[in-house]
Amino acid sequence: LIRADMQNILLDLQNELHKTIVFITHDLDEALKIGDKIAILRDGLIVQDCDPQDIILNPADEYVSDFIKDINRARVIKAKSIMSKSIDNKKGSFSINHNMVLEDVLQEITKKPGSKVLVKNDKGKIIGQISIQELLNGIKRPVSKVKNYT
């Protein structure tokens, strides 16, 4: 099996068995894909320990910021993380699931240009909306900081 297939099988097993799996990797993309919770270590100490969304959106320090700088944010950040909770008007809109990653949201928006993107929860309730600007801001890489890991 290729690596992506093995990752998918591991995710399927976890969904089926509902067991905790501890997976150790040096590949951040892999950790972001399969991890519900990720710990980033530096010199044997945990620097940040949280869900992938939080690591990408709120890096704990400059070390983590540098560590994640080349990550494709669109494949990790979910709609619920960038949506505004206010809903202007439902007319001329379509809805997406709050757990959809921004890469998929972008694909949907390009199919229906000019439409509003409403965000719904797993029960189908509209909980917010995403503007094109919010989508672009979510995908955009943050400004790099000076490296200082001392």
Side-chain angles (χ1 to χ4, degrees):
L1 294 173
I2 60 172
R3 188 177 197 146
D5 290 337
M6 290 191 312
Q7 292 167 350
N8 291 333
I9 289 171
L10 184 63
L11 288 170
D12 291 342
L13 276 172
Q14 200 281 328
N15 285 331
E16 182 180 325
L17 301 175
H18 303 288
K19 300 289 183 184
T20 299
I21 299 171
V22 177
F23 190 85
I24 300 169
T25 182
H26 287 96
D27 184 340
L28 184 57
D29 284 317
E30 183 171 58
L32 292 169
K33 178 179 179 181
I34 64 174
D36 292 328
K37 191 170 182 181
I38 298 173
I40 295 180
L41 289 89
R42 180 172 167 247
D43 298 329
L45 299 174
I46 295 175
V47 178
Q48 189 165 358
D49 179 17
C50 54
D51 69 45
Q53 296 284 290
D54 217 17
I55 288 175
I56 299 300
L57 294 171
N58 304 302
D61 61 15
E62 292 176 22
Y63 176 76
V64 177
S65 290
D66 192 45
F67 194 69
I68 64 167
K69 73 177 184 222
D70 293 327
I71 289 300
N72 181 346
R73 296 167 57 89
R75 289 189 179 163
V76 179
I77 299 174
K78 296 179 181 177
K80 65 184 174 185
S81 298
I82 65 155
M83 71 177 194
S84 59
K85 294 191 180 177
S86 62
I87 303 161
D88 294 339
N89 182 353
K90 294 182 182 180
K91 188 175 181 182
S93 61
F94 67 97
S95 62
I96 58 164
N97 185 280
H98 66 126
N99 285 319
M100 184 179 276
V101 292
L102 299 186
E103 184 175 63
D104 294 337
V105 174
L106 183 61
Q107 293 301 313
E108 291 301 312
I109 286 177
T110 58
K111 291 178 190 173
K112 301 165 186 136
S115 298
K116 292 185 180 177
V117 182
L118 299 175
V119 181
K120 62 183 176 181
N121 63 16
D122 290 328
K123 295 179 181 176
K125 180 182 177 196
I126 302 297
I127 57 172
Q129 71 181 28
I130 298 176
S131 69
I132 296 293
Q133 191 59 51
E134 287 166 328
L135 179 62
L136 294 174
N137 288 341
I139 294 171
K140 182 176 72 173
R141 285 191 181 120
V143 178
S144 297
K145 297 180 180 178
V146 178
K147 295 178 190 176
N148 182 7
Y149 304 145
T150 57

